[in-house]
Amino acid sequence: MKKLFVPYLLRDNCILQRNQTIKFWGYAPMDSPVSLRYEDVQLWMGRLKEKYVDELATADNSQIRFFMVPEKYQFHEKATELTGGAWQAAVGENLVNLSGIGYFFAKREFAQAKVPIGLVQTAIGGTPIRAWLSEDTLNLMGELPFDFAGISEKILQSRVAENENYQKQFALMADATDVGYRENWQRPTSERTQWHKVQLDECWALEDRLPGIVWLKKRVRVPDELVGKAGGTFMDADETYIDGKLIGQTEYQYPPRNYAIQKVKKEFEITIRLHIFGHAGGPRQGKKHVLTIGNVDFNLDEEGAWYFRRGCFLPMKRESIFPQYLPSGLFNGMIYPIRNTVFNGILWYQGESDTKNPTNYGKAFVKLIQEWRRLFNAPQLPFLFVQLPNCGIEQNCWPILRNEQLNGLLLDNTAMIIALGLGEDNDLHPLNKHQIANELVAARMAMVKYRNGYANGPVATKAFIADSNIVVRFNLFDANKLVLKAGTFELDNRTEVIKLGSFFARRNVLKIALPKSITIHHGASIRYAWDNTPSIFIINDLGKPAAPFELPISKFENMDQIFSELY
């Protein structure tokens, strides 16, 4: 006989979507009485805590609640129910693992609607888009790996175990090889004859950036008024010591290093043991290295050079194996089990992991939106997504991926946030989530008017030749005109890429002058902002940037007719 089972999404403190029919489900022995009780009155994040200092301390709105779907992947079979999870109020430290964008979006929504707001979070860092699509859809698209049918839990466990053993052996090899680890270089010392000087805010010599372990030391003196106060360091390091005592460590490159110091002495020594796994490690350029004491930032980069010494050279470390990155696993384990939930919209911020291979991302993205809408039985479910922002530290194809993301606007009831300028050129995970959330809230409201697709900035729709010019048309949405600054476009003329810098605009039409010496070849295209961290020189009269684009150049259209349509 089955025991009573209430799905985790329907348990205490859950938020139900208003103004829609809600389906309740569960399992119980035959003929068991079941009753439902709910409130009958509508009542009025950890990584971001340094940027939004007061949010964790002051968040006390129990009418904003969230449910974090437990991370689970499985293949060839869909999970029918979640295996855990609980609704939490957006109060205090509960926010530590909640999406920053999700929280700020909900906060704005609550302020406007004055009704409880519920978030269901399915965010797993580093995942490619195909992990969130079903096996059936990927198979029809021809996007499954050739050996996907042979994937089994046993094989995956074997691969994971092999990877864990490799990572463990690599760490042991690093410790055994590192002279500094054996000789305890973390201890304070005044002996510097075998150390040379480097700056953390400058690019190091190539030899200092090669794979292995390097050590950094600096003697710090702080102002008298800061002595004895609590503080913390922000370091691009793996293990950080104060006077020989470990105060913190981080295992990979992207998180910020925020390590607590209980009491700051007048003078102390900071030692960093830095692991370099790739071919060009070292400090992240443009990131500050500071000692924060109370509300005061003591900038260590302004205190002169650090002492540097190599502990060992190592081979490049293999990338870890993550089964949750494989196709369809997260759809089966995390999306399909919540199929009976009623949602008011989807927020999507993803794509970084697909920049390594952006081919067919746009096709997969359209299929994902369509599949999720079918799964949730909501053909017009609003789908709001963020185009990748600027990022200068990755070598992958960010501009191509951004262009692929534009395909999402081919579907009705979609909205795209153009995030150029909201990223950080030296960080894969920008902290400006509050502004992105504000843009998402504004986009959700604008979708009522623009049901065929909306973007918060100009989107180029067509390029063609007219009167020895390349003409590009834009959709401006609520804006009135394009505003241009100095810059250059790229003409990919099949045999060469040509820079073009003479142009002007009238309302939503951009005209780029072509030198008489250039003949446009068949298959040529025009590109704008085609870089990981491009220069922005097209905005609208509301100050919003245009989306990067690469458009094929079509045949002649009459220029006089084009401009006459504007007046």
Side-chain angles (χ1 to χ4, degrees), residues 120-131:
V120 176
Q121 178 170 306
T122 59
I124 305 297
T127 52
I129 191 171
R130 290 161 181 82

Side-chain angles (χ1 to χ4, degrees), residues 146-175:
F146 73 93
D147 60 346
F148 186 78
I151 292 178
S152 67
E153 189 65 29
K154 184 177 181 180
I155 291 174
L156 286 175
Q157 288 178 356
S158 175
R159 291 179 182 175
V160 170
E162 179 185 1
N163 174 70
E164 290 177 350
N165 182 64
Y166 168 81
Q167 302 294 334
K168 179 180 178 180
Q169 294 302 318
F170 190 95
L172 290 174
M173 176 183 67
D175 290 346

